[in-house]
Amino acid sequence: MARVRISDVATAAGVSTATVSLVLNDRTARISDATRDRVRQAAAEVGYTPNSVARGLRTQRSHTIGLISDRIATTPFAGRMLAGAQDVAREHGYLVFLVDTDADETVEREAIRALADQQVDAMIYACMWHRVVDVPASLPRGTVFLDCRPAGGGFPAVVPDDRAGGVSAVRALVAAGHRRIAYLDVDEPHPPVASDLRHQGYLQVLAEAGIEPDPALHVRGDTSSAGGRQATDRLLDLPDDRRPTALFCFNDRMAAGAYVAAHRRGLAIPQDLSIVGYDDQQLVAAELDPPLTTVALPHYEMGRWAMEVALGIRTPDDLGAPHLMPCPIVDRDSVGPPPATAASDSRRRT
Amino acid sequence: MARVRISDVATAAGVSTATVSLVLNDRTARISDATRDRVRQAAAEVGYTPNSVARGLRTQRSHTIGLISDRIATTPFAGRMLAGAQDVAREHGYLVFLVDTDADETVEREAIRALADQQVDAMIYACMWHRVVDVPASLPRGTVFLDCRPAGGGFPAVVPDDRAGGVSAVRALVAAGHRRIAYLDVDEPHPPVASDLRHQGYLQVLAEAGIEPDPALHVRGDTSSAGGRQATDRLLDLPDDRRPTALFCFNDRMAAGAYVAAHRRGLAIPQDLSIVGYDDQQLVAAELDPPLTTVALPHYEMGRWAMEVALGIRTPDDLGAPHLMPCPIVDRDSVGPPPATAASDSRRRT
DNA sequence: GTGAGTTGCTAAATCGATTAACCGCCTGTG
DNA sequence: CACAGGCGGTTAATCGATTTAGCAACTCAC
């Protein structure tokens, strides 16, 4: 029941282990075709597959990647990042060690050491939300940052293009005819990067469309359904001429709360209120009634990108700034033209 | 920048590498205390940590576990299984290789081989739903099955105790005074194990309470919000004396659909209709209004159990049958006494 | 004083691969 | 015939640890 070793193949084929290794690794060495065939056949017959540990020790390449994350495995949608990284690894014959640190620094330090001891060929440092992170001192250079920006730069990194995502979302609303568009932002404790960028995108589109931003339309709430509902209530309490006809929400859960607030007032979506979310969280966005138009976070693609850089298949264009991955808009049914009554007012240009 | 090796420590301490190894591994060998201290100090000073690959080659134990799953990483709640397995592994100094096969048999076979080549000390085979799986031929004996039952048995396995979960759910409804309780089941294509077991639990409690099961109260629907809504509509269309006062739903998403159906008829939860879900899917159960009473799937605990068995810390009591992990009921606000009008009728005992 | 036993440590084999260096043998050439 | 060079392999070192067997020195008993 013991594993078959290269020496077993050598014996079976009547050659030395060196020859077996040369043949099986397709080394351009002087080995006759007859011997090649004999070795290959012998290897197949005895069912030989090389011991990766022994090979790793000798070649100093383990064909192994370490993926450290703060909590990726337990957050619903972020698993797509893992899938992307995983797929690339598999396509190239790599295996990935996954370590979830639960954002504990001691665990993180231990994990980095353990992965280094296992001689991983590269590491990926992943977060579940787009934010800025301090770079752990022991992290080897070349480590790829996934869905986060290393403070100080100097490492390859990939993050969603949240600004462009904000632009897409708000452009869709402007294109539908809306001019009073609220941004339903997340409140403080949350990492500010994503929300700031989306807000910038929001402001950019307003500027392009010649719409004066109204501070009253930038509200904040808890990143939950309840938070979204409360923030929406505040918007809908505004006097008629200042009330928004469309909402751009920081995420889909808050958008779900906006649905609740609207329905409780008897407002129909999208007839009375248009809503765009963010994240494209399947369980939320697709199951709302009507299904939510939202901006998708390119988790899978970011995961692929990070692994491709880790494996050296792809070289980041610029170490100074993270690679921005586009966030495609997912058109569903929560955006329509503004209600007729609101369509004509509040057209004050700057 | 090269890694420091054991020989560097040996040189620094003025001893042989054998001594260093003996000291650092706390081998009960005759080494003087003075030498011990000198070695430890030297190791600390040069920052030595053993190369796990070299050690693995020599000791034939890689301190590494392979976790194969069909799609665990990308499904929302199942990541808790990973977290449980991960935590146990970390606590014991193990690292885990994660491979998501996406239920592709070729990928699966390749993954098993790659993991075996990496000399993993054990494997865990995980599913995202409780079901019966065919055992891949190349899976090493001793592989632990997580959230699935190996066809034919012979392997350690852990699954949720869905029968007992069904019992808890329906007992909660009976205790609240309900006697007309529907089971909102999932329809065919789904793996039948979980739904059958929950149904058995349902029938058991009815029998205990002396309630004759009514076939009209066992309805099926798609495992989605829409499916739950449609199935609930069928139940609420029943004549008054046969209409259920409480619903036990196969999962939380279907329960969410039941909420929609109830609300559309102006029925309040739990005043007019009590509902119990299954899964305790955070994004759904906790965010419904009112929050959903449901039965939690013990993913984290199952993950821990599987890893403990894989590491040999725990020995399964019986290889014939899978270990059943209790599913605790999570009391929220969707269960109350039946409406007064319904409380008195339909008390026909068998 | 000699042999046995203990103490403290080291030499060398080993795990299973890869790979640089080299060794016969054959052929062709000057 | 001597020698260079190509061909088809093999020998042996190596990766970085662990571990067995054994060596040298010292103690102690008789």
Side-chain angles (χ1 to χ4, degrees), chain A residues 55 84 100 117 124 154 165 194 207 229 250 285 295 337 341:
Chain A
R55 165 186 284 173
D100 230 286
D117 290 348
I124 295 177
R229 180 164 49 72
F250 176 74
V295 179
T341 52

Side-chain angles (χ1 to χ4, degrees), chain B residues 15-16 18-19 30 32 35 57-58 60:
Chain B
V15 296
S16 71
T19 305
R30 302 156 299 185
S32 71
T35 306
L57 177 59
R58 179 65 234 251
Q60 303 287 53

Side-chain angles (χ1 to χ4, degrees), chain A residues 137-187:
Chain A
S138 50
L139 216 50
R141 56 177 32 268
T143 295
V144 185
F145 284 71
L146 174 51
D147 206 12
C148 51
R149 299 159 176 258
F155 289 82
V158 57
V159 298
D161 191 348
D162 279 308
R163 189 179 210 287
V167 167
S168 306
V170 182
R171 275 216 187 119
L173 293 169
V174 167
H178 295 274
R179 300 191 64 82
R180 297 204 52 78
I181 302 169
Y183 178 39
L184 221 149
D185 204 349
V186 74
D187 56 10

Side-chain angles (χ1 to χ4, degrees), chain B residues 214-287:
Chain B
D214 178 351
L217 296 187
H218 183 193
V219 296
R220 294 178 178 274
D222 183 52
T223 172
S224 68
S225 179
R229 180 166 48 74
Q230 288 156 14
T232 305
D233 273 333
R234 264 175 283 138
L235 289 169
L236 298 180
D237 282 341
L238 289 172
D240 275 10
D241 63 323
R242 302 194 57 197
R243 188 186 302 147
T245 62
L247 265 47
F248 169 39
C249 302
F250 175 73
N251 68 22
D252 292 347
R253 296 170 70 193
M254 296 180 77
Y259 271 57
V260 174
H263 285 149
R264 290 202 175 165
R265 292 178 188 238
L267 297 178
I269 298 166
Q271 292 79 4
D272 301 313
L273 186 67
S274 289
I275 299 183
V276 178
Y278 215 110
D279 290 358
D280 192 28
Q281 206 167 341
Q282 292 304 314
L283 242 54
V284 179
E287 301 229 352

Side-chain angles (χ1 to χ4, degrees), chain A residues 42-295:
Chain A
E45 265 168 17
V46 299
Y48 171 72
T49 61
N51 179 323
S52 304
V53 175
R55 165 186 284 173
L57 177 59
R58 179 63 234 252
T59 61
Q60 304 288 49
R61 320 216 70 236
S62 61
H63 274 229
T64 272
I65 301 288
L67 200 157
I68 300 171
S69 80
D70 53 353
R71 207 169 294 177
I72 185 177
T74 55
T75 110
F77 47 27
R80 299 288 308 155
M81 291 201 289
L82 248 186
Q86 194 88 210
D87 283 353
V88 172
R90 183 167 39 68
E91 287 161 15
H92 294 85
Y94 280 72
L95 238 29
V96 4
F97 282 115
L98 178 69
V99 183
D100 230 286
T101 64
D102 210 29
D104 179 317
E105 275 195 38
T106 309
V107 171
E108 185 174 282
R109 204 168 26 244
E110 278 296 297
I112 293 173
R113 198 182 51 66
L115 289 171
D117 290 348
Q118 284 283 354
Q119 308 281 102
V120 295
D121 294 335
M123 297 194 197
I124 295 177
Y125 187 95
C127 292
M128 42 178 177
W129 293 310
H130 179 185
R131 57 194 179 95
V132 174
V133 294
D134 293 328
V135 180
S138 50
L139 216 50
R141 56 177 32 268
T143 295
V144 185
F145 284 71
L146 174 51
D147 206 12
C148 51
R149 299 159 176 258
F155 289 82
V158 57
V159 298
D161 191 348
D162 279 308
R163 189 179 210 287
V167 167
S168 306
V170 182
R171 275 216 187 119
L173 293 169
V174 167
H178 295 274
R179 300 191 64 82
R180 297 204 52 78
I181 302 169
Y183 178 39
L184 221 149
D185 204 349
V186 74
D187 56 10
E188 281 318 323
H190 215 70
V193 182
S195 77
D196 279 0
L197 288 168
R198 293 175 197 173
H199 188 223
Q200 285 173 25
Y202 164 84
L203 293 176
Q204 175 188 323
V205 175
L206 294 195
E208 283 172 8
I211 302 171
E212 174 83 6
D214 179 349
L217 296 187
H218 182 192
V219 296
R220 293 178 179 276
D222 182 53
T223 171
S224 67
S225 179
R229 180 164 49 72
Q230 288 156 15
T232 305
D233 273 333
R234 266 177 282 139
L235 289 169
L236 297 180
D237 282 341
L238 290 173
D240 275 11
D241 64 324
R242 302 193 57 196
R243 188 186 302 147
T245 62
L247 265 48
F248 170 38
C249 302
F250 176 74
N251 67 23
D252 291 347
R253 294 171 71 192
M254 297 180 76
Y259 271 57
V260 174
H263 284 150
R264 289 201 177 165
R265 293 177 188 240
L267 296 179
I269 297 166
Q271 291 79 3
D272 302 314
L273 186 67
S274 288
I275 299 183
V276 178
Y278 214 111
D279 290 358
D280 193 28
Q281 205 167 341
Q282 292 305 314
L283 242 53
V284 179
E287 300 230 351
L288 284 171
D289 183 20
L292 178 68
T293 291
T294 188
V295 179

